Amino acid sequence: MKVIVTGGAGFIGANLCRRLAASPEVDAVVALDDLSTGFESNLAGVDAELVVGSILDADRLQTVLSEGDAVVHLAARPSVPRSLQDPVATHEANSTGTLRVLEAARTRGAHVVVASSSSVYGGNPVLPKSEDLASRPLSPYAVSKLATEAYAGAYAASFGLPTLAFRFFNVYGPLQAAGHAYAAVVPAFVDAALRGEPLVVHGDGTQSRDFTFVGTVTEVLTDAVLRRVTSPDPVNLAFGTRTSLVDLISLLEEQLGHAVKVEHVGPRKGDVPHSQASEASLRAHFPEVAPVPLAVGLAETIGWFRTLDPATSRPGRHEA
Ligand code: NAD
């Protein structure tokens, strides 16, 4: 079995390539990535081929996908703030990019798993978020993810392509980049805490998220690929936990063994106040899945950050 991972040099993608490459059922793993936010070094020591190129390059995509039995489509311009900076670039990479991946997969009949996002629930205040709730995107990024999952469903309905769309909720863990303006909250907090710098909290910190460890996400994605799981509707990939940023900071302090400095700034545009998944559909499709608890995943994440070069927040100098 040959698996193509678009965005395979990114945070989730590289963790997935490592997991797939370790799977006896998988013969070959190919990562297709334009390295816009991903890093070649994320795949160091992983038995996967990296093809540097864009999913918007139809010929390149066709060549790479021509031998794939399954495609896990993770390539995207991630992050809400990036989409506010340049909505059209987000649309092209995420919406048009997904369309191109599905087109290339269609000729091969490959199983396609795509990454949508909890951001599609947006302004809908109902908790927990079950997949049948009305979506109310609050940012161009959220719209582009709605297009991603809708195209996957439409290609299944129109052409019989086997597809599955996951709605990821805040995924965190090793390889997630910090040290840039659009960093996600867990790497931003861990990086700042280890440097002794203030943790920047948008708003009062009572906003809450359903944090999901990347190791759990890659287990589910691998299982989906190996069992060729499909669904006409998107499936939340989170477990119904809800942690406020205030509680996340307390846990971080507990694990580091000291207090951290916190700086409050204004709320961020496009951010939703609370996010918590209904896990019913995920459990129905993946009854075996056992999520890694936040305390365990956070400890592993802190451990990885301690190995980074402090000058760049990238792999480099190894410290105790
Ligand atoms: P990431 O930025 O680390 O990974 C995205 C990868 O896609 C990068 O390696 C980037 O270089 C690559 N890429 C971007 N545009 C490309 C293009 N045109 N052609 C080829 N490669 C391209 O981010 P991530 O957190 O690993 O996100 C992976 C996927 O999961 C994305 O689709 C994202 O929208 C989705 N997602 C992530 C989260 C999360 O919490 N991390 C939450 C919801 C959804």
Side-chain angles (χ1 to χ4, degrees):
M1 178 177 205
K2 185 169 182 175
V3 186
I4 316 299
V5 181
T6 73
F11 155 52
I12 300 172
N15 277 289
L16 177 64
C17 286
R18 181 178 295 276
R19 173 65 187 82
L20 287 168
S23 174
E25 296 93 334
V26 176
D27 304 306
V29 180
V30 178
L32 173 63
D33 202 300
D34 70 355
L35 302 181
S36 51
T37 56
F39 297 89
E40 194 170 351
S41 59
N42 282 345
L43 289 168
V46 178
D47 187 11
E49 180 194 347
L50 171 63
V51 176
V52 178
S54 174
I55 52 167
L56 294 171
D57 177 345
D59 292 340
R60 172 64 62 89
L61 198 56
Q62 197 66 51
T63 310
V64 173
L65 261 61
S66 64
E67 289 177 357
D69 301 298
V71 182
V72 184
H73 172 46
L74 303 174
R77 263 173 73 91
S79 108
V80 168
R82 255 197 187 102
S83 78
L84 299 174
Q85 284 290 323
D86 191 343
V88 174
T90 293
H91 177 86
E92 282 171 354
N94 299 6
S95 312
T96 308
T98 299
L99 184 59
R100 291 213 179 280
V101 168
L102 289 164
E103 266 302 284
R106 181 156 77 99
T107 53
R108 166 88 184 163
H111 178 218
V112 184
V113 179
V114 305
S116 181
S117 158
S118 59
S119 64
V120 301
Y121 296 113
N124 190 326
V126 177
L127 290 177
K129 309 292 189 194
S130 65
E131 291 84 347
D132 53 3
L133 281 179
S135 54
R136 207 179 293 163
L138 295 178
S139 65
Y141 171 74
V143 175
S144 75
K145 288 284 133 178
L146 202 51
T148 295
E149 61 179 49
Y151 270 131
Y155 265 63
S158 307
F159 308 116
L161 193 71
T163 68
L164 175 64
F166 282 114
R167 289 178 177 167
F168 295 168
F169 286 57
N170 294 63
V171 186
Y172 72 95
L175 302 187
Q176 194 170 25
H180 63 92
Y182 306 113
V185 65
V186 172
F189 279 8
V190 173
D191 190 50
L194 290 178
R195 290 168 182 280
E197 290 170 2
L199 278 56
V200 177
V201 174
H202 293 268
D204 63 4
T206 56
Q207 66 267 44
S208 59
R209 297 290 180 264
D210 199 338
F211 293 107
T212 321
F213 186 59
V214 69
T216 310
V217 171
T218 59
E219 277 306 312
V220 172
L221 290 172
T222 302
D223 192 21
V225 165
L226 295 181
R227 290 194 294 116
R228 225 174 149 87
V229 177
T230 61
S231 168
D233 300 309
V235 177
N236 291 337
L237 209 174
F239 295 87
T241 58
R242 190 149 80 89
T243 308
S244 70
L245 297 194
V246 172
D247 289 343
L248 177 66
I249 292 169
S250 300
L251 186 60
L252 192 54
E253 289 182 323
E254 203 178 292
Q255 297 206 343
L256 293 173
H258 60 77
V260 299
K261 289 177 255 173
V262 175
E263 182 188 328
H264 289 272
V265 297
R268 248 182 8 182
K269 264 196 191 145
D271 260 1
V272 300
H274 300 292
S275 183
Q276 179 187 28
S278 159
E279 57 173 344
S281 178
L282 181 70
R283 295 279 188 192
H285 285 92
F286 301 91
E288 310 273 292
V289 63
V292 172
L294 180 59
V296 176
L298 189 62
E300 196 169 320
T301 307
I302 293 170
W304 180 74
F305 266 91
R306 286 193 195 279
T307 68
L308 300 182
D309 180 341
T312 60
S313 295
R314 294 296 312 155
R317 200 173 81 219
H318 287 248
E319 296 188 327

